[in-house]
Structures are given as structure tokens and as C-alpha cells.
Amino acid sequence: MDFTLDDTQREIAGLAADVLRREVDLARPAGPLGYDEQVWRALGKAGLLSLALPPELGGAGLGIAEVAVLLTELGRAAAPVPALTLALGVLPLELLGTPDQRAALLPEVATGDALVTAALHEPSSPLVTEPATRAVAEDGAWTLTGTKTGVPFAAAATRILVPAAMPGGTGVFLVDPAAPGVTVAGGSVRLERVSVEEAGLLRDREPGEAIATLRRLAVAGAVALGDGVLAGALTLTKEHVARREQFGRPLAAFQAVAQQIADVYIASRTVHLAAQSAVWRLASGLDPQPDLEVAGYWLAEEGPKALAVCQHLHGGLGVDITYPLHRYYALGKELSQFLGGAQDRLGELVR
């Protein structure tokens, strides 16, 4: 087990950090799609959105380990981009999509001109494995009915990966959010007799493979992104308490401040280790459990607490919209909610 980044991964991290330093503008508001399209397209132009694509589609032919490195850098900068869609759309399509599905969607995703996301939550059921959404065979196609919640960037998506119960198990369907019967409101997606052709069903080489793979990639992507969020917030806070003085001394010189920043460091390093272990096992073709659930639980339980400490140590500066800390806090909270919260993660770990 060796978590040291190889040369390719170091180059990805360095390139991503360089692009983000140049392109992220805290004063620029999010675009109509809910994210900074200029930054996202810059990442695409640098080849970072096509890391997992096969060479025949213009990609680098890399995998989850390299995408996780990119996600961590996006989290470290709290970049206002749809980072999680790399784990919810690009990776599942590359692993489970048919050649036609991949050729139709992935090239535009790689340039930043299209988004693919996934609908993994249902009311009161985060990261659902047995969805209430139903798929019924009718007239040579599938008809989907159900409600999904907490779908990242649903309004901006070109396609949404939708798990649905079908005869013999659970299938994952590519749904066009503009199709008749689809209603998108914020992060909620309602499906009312939505027709999806057989060609819109992801491959399921054995029962339950598609939903299990999608779920693993979603959690891995979230913890890799969260790893960067905590690391970035920790760096920002360390620099602040080292510079800011009170009673003629830097805040960092006070024992209570040092203890609090140490707690943030412990939370950050634990998420980092758990995320790396889970991603390494996924990339090596090994069972990522229970490492994946440990990382998800720790991020959902300790991540928001650590970010709250960072806010506390910044005082009023932490909520200033011209200062980046509020981005880290908001993104960390979103990731905890995406994972279903600490109690759900703990229950999954127990199971």
C-alpha cells in the first residue's frame, strides 16, 4: 500500500492548482447554470476534465486515482464549479456506458460544454440502493416514475443518471432533463412516466453492478473533494491566525487557538488518509469497504465541526463574501448532506 502520488498525479495536481490560481475570481458571480463556466471550461481546455476518457475520445485514459487528485485540488481551492459531476457522471459513463453512450456524451463533457450528474437520493433515503423510482417496460422502451432529491447541478445537466427498480433488480438510466414528464426544481427531479429507450440503460454485467459502482464512485468523489476542502480551509486558517494579532501577539501564540487548529488538523489528516485508502483500493480493483464508509462517516461527522472551528477562529472575516472561507464552509456542508449525514454513514458502516 503506497499512497505517494506518482509523476502523472503530481503533474495533474500542479496543473490544476495553476489553472485555478489564474482563473478563480472571488468577485465574479456564478453564471446562470449555478457555477463559474469560465473556470470549468479552462479546466477542460487544460485537459483536466478528460482525464478518465479513453484516448479514442481525446482523453488521457486514466482512472479514479487521477480524478480523485483533481477533485482534491478543486476542493482545496473551493472552486465554484460542478466538481462532483466528475465522479457522478464521467467515471460511471466510462466504466459502465456503451460505446455509443460514451461517444455521444463524453467529448462535450470533456470540454466543459455539457454536464452529466446522478440522482442517488430519494425522499428520506440518501444514497438509495433499493429505489422507490420504478422502471416499467412499455412498447419497447422503459417508463420511469418517481422522485429524486439532492441532485447536484440538475438544472444544468445534459443527462442525469437515474437508478430505478426494474424487473430483476435495479437499473441505471440516462435521462434527459428536458424530456417530457421530467420536472426539475432546484435539486429535486420528478419523473412522471418518462420514456427512456433501451439504449439509455447503462450496462449491468451482473445484477446490481451499475448501482453499486455508481454509489461507490459517488462516495469516493465526495470524500476526495472533501479532503481538499478541509486542507484548503486549514491552510487559510493557519495563515490567518499567524498574521492576526491580539494584545500584541499573533493569535497562533495563544494555547486555546493552537489546540483548536490542532483539532482541525487531525480531522483533515484523518479524512485524507481514509480517502486515499478508499481510492487506492478502488483504483487497484479491490473491495473499498470499509475504508470508503469510514471516510464518508468521518467527513460527514467531523468535517462540518472542523470548518465551524475555522469560521470561529476567523471571527467576522469568515462570513465576508469577498473572503474565501465561506466557500469552504458551504461546500463542506453540502458534501455532508450529499453523503446523507453522519448518522446515515455510521449506520451504513455498521451494516
Side-chain angles (χ1 to χ4, degrees):
M1 185 181 295
D2 183 2
F3 298 154
T4 305
L5 298 184
D6 61 26
D7 290 343
T8 298
Q9 292 164 351
R10 283 195 293 271
E11 288 178 9
I12 290 168
L15 176 59
D18 183 57
V19 171
L20 293 169
R21 275 193 298 268
R22 292 198 316 266
E23 299 293 338
V24 172
D25 182 357
L26 299 179
R28 184 168 58 231
L33 297 179
Y35 62 91
D36 193 322
E37 297 170 60
Q38 180 175 320
V39 176
W40 194 240
R41 287 197 169 91
L43 292 166
K45 187 176 181 180
L48 290 165
L49 303 185
S50 59
L51 294 175
L53 270 63
E56 60 267 25
L57 294 180
L62 301 173
I64 176 65
E66 290 72 27
V67 172
V69 169
L70 173 59
L71 285 169
T72 299
E73 290 305 315
L74 294 174
R76 197 187 306 275
V81 296
L84 200 53
T85 62
L86 294 171
L88 298 178
V90 175
L91 285 171
L93 267 178
E94 173 53 29
L95 290 173
L96 302 167
T98 67
D100 288 344
Q101 290 168 345
R102 287 184 289 167
L105 293 170
L106 288 179
E108 285 193 339
V109 170
T111 60
D113 294 319
L115 281 183
V116 177
T117 188
L120 289 166
H121 309 302
E122 292 185 346
S124 301
S125 298
L127 296 173
V128 62
T129 55
E130 298 179 359
T133 300
R134 313 295 296 183
V136 179
E138 290 184 2
D139 301 324
W142 293 96
T143 300
L144 275 61
T145 300
T147 300
K148 300 292 185 178
T149 59
V151 183
F153 298 94
T158 307
R159 292 290 186 277
I160 302 174
L161 296 176
V162 176
M166 56 189 296
T170 300
V172 178
F173 296 82
L174 278 165
V175 173
D176 184 348
V182 181
T183 303
V184 178
S188 296
V189 178
R190 183 177 179 183
L191 310 165
E192 187 64 41
R193 294 189 56 78
V194 178
S195 180
V196 179
E197 298 295 323
E198 184 71 28
L201 181 63
L202 265 61
R203 295 180 299 182
D204 211 352
R205 287 180 288 265
E206 52 185 64
E209 179 192 20
I211 179 62
T213 299
L214 179 57
R215 195 171 177 280
R216 284 195 296 267
L217 292 172
V219 176
V223 297
L225 185 59
D227 176 15
V229 169
L230 288 179
L234 174 61
T235 298
L236 198 65
T237 306
K238 285 194 301 183
E239 292 173 351
H240 172 75
V241 298
R243 292 193 309 265
R244 185 65 177 260
E245 291 190 357
Q246 193 172 53
F247 305 115
R249 300 168 59 195
L251 286 176
F254 292 91
Q255 187 178 39
V257 172
Q259 289 172 338
Q260 290 180 75
I261 203 72
D263 288 341
V264 177
Y265 174 81
I266 291 169
S268 175
R269 294 302 297 173
T270 304
V271 168
H272 177 69
L273 176 61
Q276 282 199 312
S277 179
V279 168
W280 177 81
R281 293 186 68 83
L282 273 173
S284 302
L286 303 172
D287 182 1
Q289 306 292 8
D291 302 53
L292 200 54
E293 300 302 342
V294 169
Y297 167 72
W298 195 267
L299 178 61
E301 173 69 16
E302 299 296 335
K305 296 177 185 177
L307 292 166
V309 171
C310 292
Q311 284 278 17
H312 171 70
L313 292 176
H314 273 85
L317 182 62
V319 295
D320 185 340
I321 62 171
T322 64
Y323 189 77
L325 185 61
H326 74 284
R327 293 178 181 265
Y328 292 97
Y329 185 83
L331 184 51
K333 186 175 180 180
E334 288 173 10
L335 289 172
S336 179
Q337 292 172 342
F338 177 79
L339 290 167
Q343 290 303 308
D344 189 78
R345 291 298 87 215
L346 183 60
E348 190 62 31
L349 181 58
V350 170
R351 282 190 291 274

